[in-house]
Amino acid sequence: MALTKRQKEVLDAIASFVEEHGYSPSFEELASNLGLASLATVHKHILALESKHYLKRGYNQSRSIEVTSKYFEDQKRYESASRATSEVPLLGRIAAGSPVESFATRDSLDFADYAGDPNTFALEVRGESMIEDHICDGDYVLVQKTDRVRDGEIVVALVANAEATLKRLYDEGDDIRLQPANSAMTPIRVPKRDVEIQGRVLAVLRKFR
């Protein structure tokens, strides 16, 4: 049976109190912690949580409320589900200057808005070739894995099967132009056969501290 929002608050308050003090709270302490004026309301919530097998009580005993294993199992499932739906792999660093050899890492970033998509990954930017598109050194880009992109899109391109770079892509027939967003830099032109498109940029994340 599902918990109401208030029942979850009562249950969390009991579990937190026990963790902090090593014993269960009294009804008065619960009422105070939750901002409830009536002990009868606390009692009602306790009975409901007992009926749903989240609490056990020793009758005619003070401070006898016990949180059952069901609560902790639910918490673990919730935390696992949250991690699974809000994190994407941080696969490595990507050059935004001259191409550099790409490498893998095992970190992850939390992007709840893009959760659950196995074709989404993150890269850390190194270099300043995309600064006029407001993508700076140290930023993270969120990338959709795809090899089909439109002219002018910001892409992750693997050059000569060894060097990865972040640029705007333009198809020029036999060649691909990888255009920096920095007027002080020149574009990279390579034969189409030597370029593998690994994805398009969806979003940019910047940490200020």
Side-chain angles (χ1 to χ4, degrees), residues 5 20 30 41 50-51 58 73 92 110 124 139 156 160-161 163 173 175 195-196 204:
K5 181 181 178 181
E20 181 179 351
L30 267 179
T41 302
E50 277 189 281
S51 71
E73 290 166 1
D110 190 341
E124 185 180 358
D139 288 351
V156 174
N161 205 36
E163 300 171 329
D175 293 338
V195 178
E196 178 185 340
V204 180

Side-chain angles (χ1 to χ4, degrees), residues 6-201:
R6 197 52 159 169
Q7 288 169 358
K8 182 67 166 57
E9 289 172 352
V10 172
L11 190 55
D12 287 343
I14 294 170
S16 297
F17 190 98
V18 172
E19 183 178 4
E20 181 179 351
H21 298 280
Y23 54 85
S24 61
S26 66
F27 280 22
E28 290 81 5
E29 287 166 333
L30 267 179
S32 175
N33 289 344
L34 293 165
L36 296 173
S38 170
L39 295 184
T41 302
V42 174
H43 188 257
K44 180 187 72 174
H45 289 311
I46 297 295
L47 289 176
L49 290 166
E50 277 189 281
S51 71
K52 295 179 180 182
H53 308 293
Y54 285 100
L55 294 178
K56 291 192 298 185
R57 278 195 303 164
Y59 290 94
N60 298 319
Q61 299 176 39
S62 62
R63 300 187 181 277
S64 62
I65 303 170
E66 180 182 346
V67 179
T68 68
S69 60
K70 184 178 180 181
Y71 169 78
F72 299 105
E73 290 166 1
D74 283 2
Q75 287 292 95
K76 286 181 181 178
R77 281 195 294 270
Y78 175 79
E79 291 168 4
S80 296
S82 296
R83 285 193 297 269
T85 58
S86 65
E87 291 184 355
V88 294
L90 175 58
L91 297 185
R93 292 177 177 172
I94 182 72
S98 299
V100 297
E101 183 179 358
S102 60
F103 60 93
T105 71
R106 295 186 179 180
D107 294 329
S108 63
L109 289 174
D110 190 341
F111 289 97
D113 288 345
Y114 301 92
D117 186 350
N119 293 316
T120 300
F121 61 93
L123 293 167
E124 185 180 358
V125 175
R126 283 288 176 257
E128 297 184 343
S129 74
M130 300 303 290
I131 56 174
E132 290 167 15
D133 278 329
H134 308 287
I135 303 175
C136 302
D137 183 72
D139 288 351
Y140 295 97
V141 288
L142 196 63
V143 181
Q144 178 187 31
K145 189 184 299 182
T146 182
D147 59 2
R148 295 189 176 187
V149 298
R150 296 190 296 259
D151 265 17
E153 288 191 308
I154 301 174
V155 304
V156 174
L158 186 66
V159 180
N161 205 36
E163 300 171 329
T165 190
L166 188 73
K167 297 288 185 290
R168 287 195 180 273
L169 178 142
Y170 295 93
D171 189 333
E172 298 186 334
D174 293 334
D175 293 338
I176 293 293
R177 171 163 53 97
L178 298 172
Q179 182 70 41
N182 184 332
S183 54
M185 297 183 176
T186 58
I188 300 170
R189 285 184 169 87
V190 291
K192 190 177 290 186
R193 65 178 178 274
D194 291 337
V195 178
E196 178 185 340
I197 307 306
Q198 297 188 323
R200 68 163 62 88
V201 171

